[in-house]
Amino acid sequence: MKARNEIRVAGGRSREIVLTREIDAPRELVFSLWTEPEHLMKWWGPHHCSASSVSVDLREGGAWRHCILGLDGKEYWSRGRYVEISPPERLVFTFAWENDAGKPEHEMRVTVELEERGEGTRLTFRKRELPSDTEFKLQSEGWREALDKAAAYAEAAVKRRK
């Protein structure tokens, strides 16, 4: 796996995270990592977190909801809706953290693009409209770690198949 991390602040208050990974796994497998609960459970969240709940209604307009557990056992719930599903090359969805009352907070937009590179895949992750500099910093690091986990999981799955 090769990683490139590009953190952008565009237009002053508009914040965008752009991360890329070169993954030694077929594009169809990498796409399924984002759309199938059994895969999402294995990598969703930063290194120090684990996914405890994953719900996916994979259709445009369909909802998703996931929970990650921190080392201290605290639950972090997030949710959104699928905006565009174009297997195996593109997935666009909204993303919002839930507050303590279970209501979504600031909505952001995530775009995942997958490009075939020989037998591997270039993954480009973009997250826009982050609400604050603090959230931007936290999520930049969290998504770097999550994408590292996803890439390692995909590459291990390919090795198991051989």
Side-chain angles (χ1 to χ4, degrees):
M1 175 208 42
K2 295 179 190 167
R4 187 176 76 214
N5 301 309
E6 178 182 333
I7 310 295
R8 280 189 212 167
V9 179
R13 301 196 71 82
S14 176
R15 296 164 190 88
E16 180 182 36
I17 300 167
V18 181
L19 306 169
T20 62
R21 295 291 182 277
E22 300 284 342
I23 302 172
D24 293 327
R27 184 165 66 160
E28 291 76 13
L29 173 62
V30 177
F31 187 84
S32 71
L33 263 59
W34 290 87
T35 59
E36 296 178 14
E38 63 270 19
H39 293 313
L40 286 159
M41 293 289 290
K42 302 292 186 185
W43 71 267
W44 189 264
H47 290 307
H48 62 280
C49 296
S50 61
S52 63
S53 178
V54 172
S55 171
V56 170
D57 178 9
L58 189 63
R59 61 186 171 85
E60 291 182 5
W64 66 267
R65 186 172 186 242
H66 306 332
C67 180
I68 56 175
L69 290 176
L71 284 175
D72 60 359
K74 183 174 180 181
E75 294 183 341
Y76 299 91
W77 287 91
S78 57
R79 68 162 82 176
R81 295 212 169 268
Y82 293 103
V83 176
E84 179 185 340
I85 303 167
S86 300
E89 60 198 43
R90 185 173 161 91
L91 184 67
V92 180
F93 56 92
T94 62
F95 181 106
W97 291 109
E98 291 183 6
N99 62 25
D100 291 338
K103 302 291 182 195
E105 295 191 334
H106 181 85
E107 187 174 274
M108 296 159 272
R109 182 170 291 239
V110 173
T111 301
V112 177
E113 295 175 312
L114 304 172
E115 179 184 345
E116 283 185 327
R117 293 289 178 130
E119 293 182 19
T121 304
R122 171 179 278 171
L123 181 150
T124 302
F125 171 92
R126 297 177 187 278
K127 190 167 192 180
R128 301 188 337 224
E129 303 163 22
L130 286 98
S132 68
D133 290 340
T134 299
E135 191 72 14
F136 180 80
K137 182 179 177 187
L138 290 170
Q139 288 206 39
S140 295
E141 185 59 30
W143 280 105
R144 272 199 281 288
E145 293 179 5
L147 293 180
D148 288 347
K149 284 171 59 178
Y153 173 73
E155 290 173 356
V158 168
K159 286 179 184 171
R160 282 192 304 274
R161 291 180 182 176
K162 290 184 177 182

